[in-house]
Amino acid sequence: MDKLSSAGLCGWMRFKHLLLLIHLDKRRNMRAAARQMHLSQPAASKMLRDLETHFGFAIFERQPRAMVPTELGAQLVRHAEILLNDIERMVEDVQRMREGGYGRLLIGAIPAAAPEILPAAIAALKRQRPRLSVSIDEQSSDRLLQALEYKQLDLVIGRLTAVNQHNLFDFEPLLEEPLRVVVAHDHPLAGQQRVELAALRHWPWVLHPPTSPMRQVIEAALADAGIASPDDTIETTSTQTTLQLLLNAPMLAVLPWSVLKRPLSSGQYAVLPLTIGKPLDYYGIITRKREPLSSAAAELVTELRRQVASARPSVPRPA
């Protein structure tokens, strides 16, 4: 088997080959993929055979009702999607600059970073680059890291969610984040001097999805106490949705302290007097390994460091 080389691949492969891999992965059908690319089915089939010949392995397994990526094929599809996302971003950036813009910065952020540290850093960056377009995607760390891997984001303010992710990303810690159980001010548990963790299971909860670090801390705390997970739950990563749900029903939620400071000052919410689980691990700046940052992203990182150094949040201990 001939050894693959990047030089040989660049001289032979075309963007249409990458598109075919992605359309086949999504459609799982050669005819549908060919139609999406405005090709005849024989032409698309020949492209796939050429790809498999070049790489020396089957990329898709031909099943009676579908074409399913092989193990090696799935890796090839993943890289094809990353490459095409990079190309799409290149075209978008160049077009913006041709039209007089100053580029775009795509940031992913967990809710803990969104209320204070990140907005202050972005405001400082915008003072230096007033025409820079900035987009913020606020989700849980696991979803943001997938988008970062596929080059749909420039950097993420969040947490690593698996031990092997250090192979893909660089991580610079910023802040540790304590968690608190919060309810509406008129909830029956609000104002009580003592609340047991076991009693909370029977209330409805608003929680992050099971794959998020915050949810894993909660589940670990319940497991350590021998308490079953709550049955009545709503799952969302949106802080605003969580807070609105608390106002409309006698529900409980677990949120980072930095998210809660402003809602608590309004008098509409109360924090229960108990600690659930250990504090979340430090969240920080996550970037793709061995890939230089754009000048705008590098400036944002500098501002984030400055914000953390100048004002670390004070967190009251629960009663």
Side-chain angles (χ1 to χ4, degrees):
M1 180 185 295
D2 293 337
K3 186 175 180 180
L4 292 171
S5 71
S6 57
L9 190 61
C10 289
W12 175 81
M13 181 176 268
R14 301 292 181 263
F15 291 142
K16 63 183 180 181
H17 292 115
L18 303 178
L19 284 169
L20 177 65
L21 293 175
I22 292 173
H23 286 311
L24 267 178
D25 181 56
K26 291 180 179 178
R27 306 286 179 173
R28 303 295 170 98
N29 179 277
M30 181 62 76
R31 179 178 297 176
R35 187 184 307 116
Q36 190 75 22
M37 295 180 65
H38 306 288
L39 295 173
S40 67
Q41 184 172 339
S45 297
K46 183 180 183 303
M47 284 176 58
L48 179 59
R49 289 196 301 271
D50 290 344
L51 278 166
E52 292 179 326
T53 299
H54 186 89
F55 283 98
F57 56 80
I59 300 174
F60 285 86
E61 179 185 349
R62 281 71 166 173
Q63 296 182 356
R65 294 183 178 275
M67 299 183 68
V68 180
T70 62
E71 184 176 356
L72 287 174
Q75 288 299 314
L76 198 56
V77 169
R78 170 178 163 270
H79 284 289
E81 189 166 350
I82 291 173
L83 287 169
L84 286 177
N85 283 338
D86 213 12
I87 293 166
E88 184 176 344
R89 179 64 186 278
M90 178 191 71
V91 172
E92 181 181 298
D93 285 349
V94 171
Q95 184 64 25
R96 282 175 177 269
M97 292 178 183
R98 286 177 58 188
E99 295 172 352
Y102 283 78
R104 187 181 185 195
L105 185 60
L106 304 177
I107 306 165
I110 58 173
E116 293 184 352
I117 294 177
L118 184 57
I122 291 174
L125 177 63
K126 289 285 286 181
R127 286 193 289 271
Q128 301 299 319
R129 296 172 175 259
R131 298 183 66 183
L132 176 70
S133 174
V134 179
S135 176
I136 304 172
D137 184 6
E138 185 179 337
Q139 294 193 59
S140 58
S141 290
D142 56 315
R143 297 178 182 178
L144 293 174
L145 291 179
Q146 183 178 6
L148 181 64
E149 178 185 357
Y150 280 76
K151 296 197 172 183
Q152 295 166 336
L153 295 171
D154 293 314
L155 76 164
V156 164
I157 315 302
R159 297 178 180 85
L160 298 180
T161 58
V163 293
N164 62 343
Q165 286 176 338
H166 70 277
N167 296 315
L168 294 174
F169 307 116
D170 290 322
F171 177 79
E172 178 182 336
L174 290 175
L175 287 173
E176 187 182 51
E177 189 66 10
L179 297 178
R180 295 291 180 262
V181 181
V182 61
V183 296
H185 70 95
D186 57 353
H187 192 283
L189 295 178
Q192 291 195 13
Q193 297 298 314
R194 182 177 179 84
V195 177
E196 296 293 338
L197 184 59
L200 302 183
R201 180 183 178 274
H202 304 291
W203 291 93
W205 283 80
V206 187
L207 296 171
H208 272 216
T211 54
S212 70
M214 192 184 305
R215 179 68 174 271
Q216 291 168 11
V217 167
I218 298 166
E219 295 292 349
L222 294 173
D224 290 344
I227 302 170
S229 300
D231 299 320
D232 187 355
T233 62
I234 297 175
E235 293 180 358
T236 178
T237 59
S238 169
T239 301
Q240 290 303 317
T241 299
T242 299
L243 293 172
Q244 287 300 315
L245 285 168
L246 293 181
L247 293 179
N248 285 278
M251 309 185 81
L252 294 81
V254 175
L255 291 171
W257 174 252
S258 62
V259 169
L260 287 172
K261 286 193 291 184
R262 289 187 181 179
L264 288 174
S265 66
S266 72
Q268 294 180 294
Y269 303 93
V271 170
L272 298 187
L274 84 164
T275 299
I276 182 166
K278 63 179 182 179
L280 283 172
D281 291 336
Y282 281 78
Y283 68 78
I285 304 164
I286 306 175
T287 55
R288 288 183 291 272
K289 191 174 286 292
R290 294 181 295 275
E291 184 172 316
L293 293 174
S294 67
S295 58
E299 287 182 30
L300 178 68
V301 168
T302 300
E303 291 297 339
L304 285 166
R305 292 169 182 155
R306 186 175 295 133
Q307 291 297 323
V308 171
S310 63
R312 288 182 174 270
S314 59
V315 182
R317 296 175 62 84

